[in-house]
Amino acid sequence: MRTTVGIIGAGPAGLLLARLLHNAGIDSVVLESRDRAYVERRQRAGILEQGTADVLRAAGAGERMDREGLRHDGIELRFDRTRHRVDFPGLTGGRSVMVYAQTEVCKDLIALQLREGGPLLFEAEALAVEDAGTDAPRIRFRHEGREDVLECSYVVGCDGFWGVARKAIPAALTQVFERTYPFGWLGILADVPPSHDELVYARHDRGFALLSMRSPAVSRLYLQVPDGTDPGAWGDEEIWDELERRFETDDDWYLQRGPITQKTVTPMRSYVHEPMRHGRLFLAGDAAHIVPPTGAKGLNLAAGDVVTFARALVHQQETGSPELLDAYSQTCLRRVWQAERFSYDMTTLLHRAPGATAFEDRLQLARLERITSSRAAETDLAEGYTGFPFG
């Protein structure tokens, strides 16, 4: 097999890249190790920045998002039993975010790819990227019980932290930056309407809590828990009781309870791999960087990566200049590090570290009070949350 761009991974990054390339008249092949059903039910992110939503619309993949997604014009910060709303459009010149689950983004992009795009091979396991430093990289993969080779002009690794793409970059050329946090998120899905019409980020002495949603009828909620927590160790009523404690306010707001359909624990880490390019191999999404979910940046960073690559490749084909492709890693990393900074700030602002002192607790409250009393500080948060520019 031969194609211009070989894409490893059919998550939102790989699928969006395939769509952008198709619209630009550039052929690609997508290799995905899992089956279609797995990809379409894999629960991950649910917040789309303004820029990500705009890209999906421009790519022809925004119709169902605009019909079924939930536009949010703000979030609520909750601390010391008080509530403060951050007004995104009023602080950013009109920007907002969209609540639309990654599973739904993938469904939309898969349907478009199968109907209009190039080959999308499910249960096609990438085994290795070969000759990445040459003008003729290859992806060795296994599909339908036999090994095959995809010859490419370019390879884009959208295959996550555990994928093969990053391993093709020589260790002597790489630098890794990472931080592991001593807590995680116990997340639940519950068949109950959300108790607030926007996301609520709560800082409490017992730990962080987040009220989110997947739809008008399904709530998504999170509790800060110690790293390594077994989700099965928490009973349903115990979870609801703890959520009530952490969301408590001095007004008449209350938390609606309902049947819990899923419990998971998400570890928290920050990770950046530099560079994001080696020869004709380009890394995108979790293959190159991971952020703690507090800032809702993971999927959006991946979208920014593939938009940057697609623009650079189109530029090269139209002008003959490799300038933008050569700058891919530096261009992406500027945005990546701003998102890492924002996610770290949100995480340390709202989570109580094990063994935190009274001094550290008061610093957190002082930071929150600064945000809620200063338009400049509040604007910085709103600009970061709604998204940094692509490219």
Side-chain angles (χ1 to χ4, degrees):
M1 295 180 66
R2 175 158 187 83
T3 190
T4 300
V5 181
I7 301 171
I8 309 175
L15 292 167
L16 176 57
L17 177 57
R19 181 65 184 175
L20 295 173
L21 296 175
H22 168 78
N23 289 348
I26 300 171
D27 61 293
S28 68
V29 174
V30 184
L31 305 176
E32 168 56 47
S33 63
R34 303 284 193 162
D35 62 26
R36 179 178 179 178
Y38 179 89
V39 174
E40 292 187 339
R41 67 172 183 264
R42 182 166 44 195
Q43 292 287 340
R44 291 291 189 274
I47 304 293
L48 306 182
E49 295 174 353
Q50 179 76 59
T52 302
D54 289 344
V55 164
L56 289 169
R57 293 185 186 103
E63 180 183 353
R64 193 164 70 94
M65 174 191 71
D66 283 329
R67 187 174 67 250
E68 300 179 12
L70 306 173
R71 172 181 162 140
H72 280 204
D73 287 336
I75 58 171
E76 181 174 291
L77 297 177
R78 195 170 292 191
F79 61 98
D80 248 3
R81 303 177 66 91
T82 64
R83 305 167 63 181
H84 178 85
R85 181 175 185 267
V86 179
D87 174 16
F88 291 158
L91 294 163
T92 65
R95 301 213 308 261
S96 63
V97 298
M98 181 75 74
V99 176
Y100 192 63
Q102 174 177 310
T103 51
E104 307 312 305
V105 173
C106 288
K107 289 174 187 176
D108 297 341
L109 290 169
I110 286 170
L112 284 170
Q113 184 72 7
L114 294 177
R115 185 170 69 244
E116 303 173 6
L120 167 54
L121 305 182
F122 291 104
E123 299 181 88
E125 180 187 6
L127 303 174
V129 177
E130 300 172 341
D131 299 327
T134 73
D135 291 342
R138 302 148 38 99
I139 306 172
R140 189 159 46 83
F141 68 99
R142 182 183 296 111
H143 185 234
E144 296 181 341
R146 64 183 180 87
E147 285 196 19
D148 204 343
V149 171
L150 178 62
E151 298 179 349
C152 316
S153 299
Y154 305 91
V155 174
V156 182
C158 306
D159 51 345
F161 181 78
W162 301 107
V164 301
R166 190 177 66 253
K167 299 172 184 175
I169 299 180
L173 303 179
T174 68
Q175 195 170 9
V176 168
F177 306 86
E178 59 186 325
R179 179 187 180 95
T180 301
Y181 299 86
F183 43 75
W185 278 9
L186 170 63
I188 64 167
L189 279 174
D191 288 336
V192 61
S195 299
H196 194 60
D197 55 2
E198 293 177 335
L199 274 68
V200 177
Y201 287 78
R203 186 269 175 203
H204 193 277
D205 286 343
R206 296 176 64 90
F208 168 76
L210 172 62
L211 186 157
S212 182
M213 64 281 295
R214 283 292 177 262
S215 74
V218 177
S219 293
R220 182 75 159 153
L221 301 108
Y222 298 93
L223 285 170
Q224 176 187 343
V225 293
D227 185 38
T229 293
D230 175 9
W234 282 73
D236 291 8
E237 290 307 307
E238 183 182 11
I239 291 173
W240 288 118
D241 289 345
E242 188 62 25
L243 285 165
E244 279 192 350
R245 291 188 193 100
R246 299 190 192 183
F247 286 124
E248 61 189 357
T249 64
D250 285 331
D251 59 16
D252 59 356
W253 182 91
Y254 68 95
L255 180 68
Q256 297 188 68
R257 301 187 179 206
I260 294 176
T261 60
Q262 183 187 91
K263 300 177 192 176
T264 58
V265 169
T266 302
M268 306 279 281
R269 65 187 302 227
S270 301
Y271 175 90
V272 180
H273 179 284
E274 296 187 11
M276 291 176 58
R277 177 206 176 189
H278 172 60
R280 294 286 187 97
L281 168 64
F282 299 77
L283 304 181
D286 285 1
H289 42 72
I290 295 170
V291 289
T294 325
K297 289 284 166 274
L299 184 157
N300 297 291
L301 275 183
D305 293 342
V306 298
V307 167
T308 300
F309 174 81
R311 287 175 179 169
L313 185 56
V314 169
H315 178 78
Q316 192 273 335
Q317 296 209 344
E318 290 179 346
T319 68
S321 170
E323 178 184 6
L324 297 185
L325 283 173
D326 290 344
Y328 171 82
S329 186
Q330 299 96 311
T331 301
C332 289
L333 284 168
R334 282 195 294 272
R335 188 167 185 269
V336 166
W337 276 110
Q338 285 302 315
E340 292 282 356
R341 187 269 308 168
F342 178 78
S343 300
Y344 173 83
D345 285 350
M346 288 286 284
T347 300
T348 57
L349 174 71
L350 296 163
H351 293 74
R352 192 172 192 273
T357 65
F359 179 82
E360 290 166 323
D361 289 339
R362 291 301 294 269
L363 280 181
Q364 279 188 322
L365 292 174
R367 291 169 66 191
L368 284 161
E369 288 166 359
R370 172 65 177 169
I371 290 168
T372 58
S373 62
S374 163
R375 184 175 178 86
E378 191 178 18
T379 298
D380 184 62
L381 188 154
E383 288 179 344
Y385 199 97
T386 55
F388 304 103
F390 289 173

